Amino acid sequence: MTSSSGPRRTPKRAKKTSHRKHLLWQLPILTALLGSGVWFVYSAHETTQVSVPPAAAIPVVKVSNPVQRDVDVRLGAVGQFSAINRVELRAQVGGTLSEIQFEDGQIVQKGDLLFVIDRRPYEIKLAQAKAQLETAKSRRDLANNQLERVQSLRKSGWSTQETLDQRVSEQQAAQAAIDDAQSRIRDAELDLEYTRVTAPFTGRIGARQVSIGGLIAGSRAATSPTTLLATLVSLDPIYLDFDMSEQDYLTFQRERQKRNGRLANKVEASLSDETAFNYQGTLDFIDNAVNRSSGTIHARATFKNADLFLAPGQFARMRFGLTPSAPALLVPDAAVLADQSAHIVLTVGENNVVVPKTVQLGDLRGGLRVIRSGLTPSDKVVIDGIPTARPGSPVLPNSAKINLVFNQAHD
């Protein structure tokens, strides 16, 4: 029989089918592993490229040699104007205020009438003093007549020495009463004069502090509280008060010694809204001691003020020269950096390396700072790009020119 005698092929065919299924099952796993390996290699390559930092860029700065100009040595400060004469007008006699003869803020001349206090009580007092004088004169006349009669009787022996002495005493008392009455008249006249308050000097008067009809308290000796009527300040000439530091004072003193005490006393001033120094004055006072708490010494200059433009209390910049003009170096003020208690200027040295230099400063001239020491004319000063320039680090310097606005007369 064919079915029983022929060979069996079913198991071999099943084995091949099972092997194919096993390969198909492993193929996705191999594909996934291969993909992961490729992604890992690519990712590691990218990470390596990103982590490499770029080379740091060298900063670019602008440099210039210091400007050379002839300048004089000056001292400068901020001062405040003050009146040479200032007075509080107060009544020396009391009474009712009857007149005010000015407008607030008006310029008044010396001797101008300002206030009038009710004069009637003082006119009465003056009349009483004059009446007392007449009474004293009558008593003196009587005493003189009596003395003459006693002297006549004494010569003829009809009067005693005691009576004569009494009449002499009465005559002297009558004369003293006259002197007292005359002094009372002068006192009453003075009180009457003080009822008219006048300007003691020419100047600008402030706002009135009283009104007509107000009761005024007055005292000639200021032994009791008195009423403030107004204030008066002089304007021409006017003081400019300022303080010099101890260092500036030493500079001033040494320069004065070099010139045997003959130091220029010309002072220039500029108001807060001005750039030019348009006002000229004279240095006429330096205090006799340095203030121990502030380390400064007070000084004062006098300025003419014919147009009355300057007012007490105004601030002004002032300066005065110490030496004649001499060559000096100047750099932009922005190029000067503060380093604790010193000042430095950044320069570019060999191999384009930033080198800081300590400098001694002068005053400002046209926006440029005078350098007293620490720089040479050949130094390359960093004038732009200062924030990127670090001492000891290289830079790429570009030559530039300092903008110069320099005027010896106004700067």
Side-chain angles (χ1 to χ4, degrees):
M1 296 178 57
T2 305
S3 59
S4 57
S5 61
R8 294 185 178 181
R9 297 179 181 179
T10 302
K12 186 176 181 180
R13 198 177 285 122
K15 183 177 180 180
K16 290 182 179 181
T17 302
S18 175
H19 180 68
R20 290 175 181 174
K21 289 182 179 180
H22 179 71
L23 291 177
L24 292 175
W25 177 78
Q26 291 182 342
L27 184 61
I29 297 176
L30 293 175
T31 303
L33 290 175
L34 182 61
S36 298
V38 173
W39 178 86
F40 176 79
V41 173
Y42 178 79
S43 176
H45 178 70
E46 290 294 321
T47 303
T48 303
Q49 289 184 343
V50 172
S51 62
V52 176
I58 298 178
V60 179
V61 298
K62 293 182 179 180
V63 298
S64 174
N65 297 122
V67 175
Q68 300 184 58
R69 286 292 185 276
D70 290 339
V71 297
D72 55 353
V73 176
R74 296 174 181 174
L75 293 182
V78 175
Q80 188 174 23
F81 289 105
S82 64
I84 294 180
N85 297 312
R86 183 184 186 279
V87 65
E88 292 183 346
L89 298 173
R90 295 180 180 271
Q92 299 191 57
V93 295
T96 303
L97 186 65
S98 59
E99 297 180 28
I100 298 178
Q101 298 289 336
F102 67 91
E103 297 293 333
D104 293 350
Q106 175 184 338
I107 298 296
V108 297
Q109 303 299 319
K110 181 179 180 179
D112 285 354
L113 180 63
L114 304 177
F115 298 93
V116 177
I117 298 172
D118 189 3
R119 299 168 58 87
R120 291 172 296 178
Y122 300 99
E123 290 172 345
I124 294 172
K125 182 180 177 180
L126 177 60
Q128 290 174 342
K130 290 180 178 180
Q132 290 176 358
L133 176 62
E134 295 301 322
T135 301
K137 287 180 178 180
S138 297
R139 290 177 178 173
R140 183 196 60 181
D141 293 341
L142 176 59
N144 288 338
N145 293 335
Q146 289 178 344
L147 178 60
E148 290 176 1
R149 286 195 296 268
V150 169
Q151 288 175 341
S152 178
L153 291 173
R154 178 62 179 163
K155 290 179 181 179
S156 60
W158 293 99
S159 177
T160 63
Q161 183 64 37
E162 181 181 359
T163 303
L164 177 61
D165 293 340
Q166 184 178 359
R167 294 296 180 263
V168 171
S169 176
E170 291 175 353
Q171 191 271 343
Q172 292 176 345
Q175 182 61 46
I178 290 178
D179 294 339
D180 179 68
Q182 289 175 340
S183 65
R184 290 179 182 273
I185 289 176
R186 290 194 297 271
D187 184 72
E189 289 175 342
L190 188 59
D191 283 344
L192 187 61
E193 179 183 346
Y194 285 154
T195 60
R196 295 167 56 88
V197 180
T198 59
F201 50 82
T202 299
R204 188 184 301 277
I205 194 166
R208 65 191 74 182
Q209 304 297 313
V210 291
S211 300
I212 294 178
L215 185 60
I216 305 302
S219 172
R220 280 190 292 181
T223 56
S224 59
T226 57
T227 302
L228 175 62
L229 305 178
T231 57
L232 178 65
V233 295
S234 63
L235 296 178
D236 184 29
I238 192 170
Y239 286 148
L240 178 62
D241 297 294
F242 61 96
D243 293 324
M244 285 192 292
S245 67
E246 186 174 357
Q247 183 63 40
D248 287 344
Y249 177 65
L250 288 175
T251 303
F252 175 82
Q253 288 292 83
R254 296 191 187 283
E255 290 296 333
R256 185 162 64 176
Q257 286 182 347
K258 291 179 183 178
R259 301 171 66 177
N260 297 323
R262 294 179 301 216
L263 194 61
N265 57 0
K266 180 182 177 182
V267 179
E268 299 175 324
S270 174
L271 300 181
S272 59
D273 63 342
E274 297 176 337
T275 56
F277 288 78
N278 298 320
Y279 298 92
Q280 285 74 40
T282 303
L283 180 67
D284 57 8
F285 170 75
I286 296 180
D287 210 346
N288 56 4
V290 175
N291 188 298
R292 299 176 64 181
S293 59
S294 64
T296 59
I297 189 168
H298 181 69
R300 185 186 69 203
T302 302
F303 287 76
K304 292 183 179 180
N305 189 26
D307 58 357
L308 308 182
F309 183 77
L310 303 175
Q314 281 183 314
F315 288 92
R317 294 179 295 119
M318 57 76 56
R319 69 185 185 187
F320 59 95
L322 295 180
T323 63
S325 297
L329 301 179
L330 300 94
V331 300
D333 192 43
V336 180
L337 305 177
D339 182 20
Q340 296 181 355
S341 61
H343 293 85
I344 63 172
V345 171
L346 299 181
T347 63
V348 177
E350 295 182 0
N351 300 323
N352 294 334
V353 175
V354 177
V355 178
K357 290 193 173 184
T358 303
V359 295
Q360 296 292 328
L361 303 183
D363 56 349
L364 278 173
R365 303 294 177 92
L368 302 182
R369 178 66 66 177
V370 176
I371 304 300
R372 294 178 178 174
S373 63
L375 286 181
T376 63
S378 60
D379 283 332
K380 298 179 180 180
V381 178
V382 179
I383 61 174
D384 193 16
I386 296 175
T388 62
R390 297 181 180 180
S393 300
V395 293
L396 294 178
N398 289 334
S399 297
K401 186 177 181 180
I402 295 176
N403 293 326
L404 182 62
V405 182
F406 186 82
N407 188 322
Q408 180 74 13
H410 294 88
D411 294 333

